[in-house]
Amino acid sequence: MVRIITDSLCDLTMEDAQKMNIDIMPLYVRFGKDEYRCGVDLSNEEFYSKLEASSEAPTTAAVNPYEFEEIFQRYLEAGDDVVAILFSRYMSTTYQSATIAAENFETEHLHLIDCENGAMGQALLIATAVAIRDSGATAQQLCDRIRNLLPRTMTYMIVDNMDYLHQGGRISASADEVNETVRIHPVLRLLPDGVKPLDKVRGRKSSNAWLVNRLKEYPADTDYKLVIGHSNAIERAETLRDQIRAAGIENEILITCIAPIVGTHIGPNSIGIGYILAE
């Protein structure tokens, strides 16, 4: 059997994991002395309530190598093939932890993939991997197809409030002050080597319009899902879904709530999309 393993940065819930027959390795978030396993002890939605109520920014921690070694060993000893599709190595040390764990196994049945993405793009690749697995593909065929999709995986995020980027050292205090004055929202693109600023928009309506226009200019491959991610802003996500439909875009749409690790940096009410670019 082909076992698909990912991490909680993919935004999928543990309930999703059961339905999709995959394993999600939870990262950790700490509020003061209280530590939570993302998606296990704390849902994505609950995280944002704590984030807004907290006077201090939370801290985060990756999955450690021992946790990966344990699950790799369990499945490999059972005779399974393991495919781990993990958050970009440039944005989390989780992939490094998996690499360290994999060094303990001399086998052709363990495959690691840096998804060169996160959040919506990662969720999309996991959903795609599940469909490929369920079609009867081998582990190697699955890996080849996912790796071929990486250059075409587009992930865009529009941040609602730059306070959280400022707290995390992602922007300067002066940029944050400009945001408070004119309500500028940065458009970020997740690339293989990290998160890069791409554009900026003014107002939430413009944020949704930017994403719809992006899909018109650079269309999604209709053979794959389109993922809308939101940071505890389900109404915004549903509005964006309706706007995408009104624009004549017919991809199956999956809506996810962005997980705590990314949420620590972007804060609540942000929104984004992940999709496979049409050839």
Side-chain angles (χ1 to χ4, degrees):
M1 181 174 183
V2 178
R3 299 285 186 176
I4 297 173
I5 298 173
T6 189
D7 55 70
S8 59
L9 285 151
C10 72
D11 300 342
L12 298 170
T13 66
M14 295 302 168
E15 290 77 13
D16 292 328
Q18 288 185 336
K19 293 176 183 177
M20 300 167 79
N21 193 20
I22 63 173
D23 290 273
I24 298 178
M25 306 296 288
L27 280 79
Y28 299 85
V29 61
R30 301 185 186 97
F31 286 92
K33 296 181 180 180
D34 297 325
E35 181 177 81
Y36 304 90
R37 291 171 296 169
C38 299
V40 178
D41 308 315
L42 188 71
S43 72
N44 295 350
E45 291 81 2
E46 290 168 341
F47 161 77
Y48 290 100
S49 297
K50 285 187 173 293
L51 181 66
E52 293 189 88
S54 177
S55 59
E56 297 182 6
T59 59
T60 61
V63 183
N64 66 59
Y66 175 75
E67 292 172 294
F68 277 117
E69 183 177 350
E70 191 175 47
I71 194 168
F72 291 166
Q73 183 172 357
R74 183 166 76 246
Y75 285 142
L76 290 171
E77 287 184 349
D80 295 328
D81 288 281
V82 175
V83 178
I85 305 172
L86 305 168
F87 195 83
S88 169
R89 73 183 76 190
Y90 291 98
M91 293 183 276
S92 169
T93 59
T94 292
Y95 184 87
Q96 181 182 355
S97 293
T99 301
I100 292 170
E103 291 173 353
N104 296 308
F105 303 93
E106 293 185 8
T107 176
E108 297 179 351
H109 298 282
L110 174 58
H111 310 264
L112 302 185
I113 298 178
D114 175 350
C115 79
E116 300 180 358
N117 254 273
M120 296 78 69
Q122 187 177 357
L124 170 60
L125 290 168
I126 294 300
T128 302
V130 168
I132 294 170
R133 178 203 63 195
D134 292 349
S135 73
T138 65
Q140 189 60 59
Q141 290 169 334
L142 190 159
C143 290
D144 290 344
R145 290 179 63 181
I146 291 297
R147 290 191 175 105
N148 286 337
L149 290 175
L150 295 184
R152 295 167 53 202
T153 304
M154 306 289 110
T155 305
Y156 301 99
M157 189 174 297
I158 302 182
V159 177
D160 186 67
N161 187 330
M162 288 200 286
D163 285 349
Y164 296 93
L165 289 173
H166 176 216
Q167 289 173 10
R170 268 39 181 194
I171 61 167
S172 66
S174 60
D176 191 26
E177 290 171 1
V178 170
N179 173 65
E180 286 303 311
T181 302
V182 297
R183 300 306 299 172
I184 293 296
H185 307 295
V187 180
L188 308 177
R189 182 177 172 189
L190 278 67
L191 293 167
D193 59 348
V195 180
K196 306 295 181 183
L198 179 65
D199 202 350
K200 54 190 176 183
V201 296
R202 181 176 297 178
R204 290 181 177 175
K205 290 184 178 180
S206 297
S207 297
N208 280 22
W210 191 98
L211 293 169
V212 173
N213 288 334
R214 194 70 178 184
L215 283 165
K216 289 180 179 178
E217 186 174 1
Y218 301 96
D221 190 324
T222 54
D223 288 340
Y224 302 94
K225 293 182 180 181
L226 187 156
V227 179
I228 297 174
H230 65 91
S231 51
N232 209 27
I234 185 62
E235 291 183 0
R236 287 196 69 190
E238 290 174 343
T239 297
L240 176 58
R241 177 197 60 201
D242 295 343
Q243 291 168 335
I244 289 172
R245 286 283 179 255
I249 298 164
E250 299 179 350
N251 298 67
E252 180 181 348
I253 295 176
L254 172 65
I255 296 178
T256 63
C257 182
I258 296 169
I261 308 301
V262 174
T264 296
H265 301 292
I266 65 169
N269 298 313
S270 298
I271 197 161
I273 56 173
Y275 67 95
I276 303 297
L277 186 67
E279 291 185 293

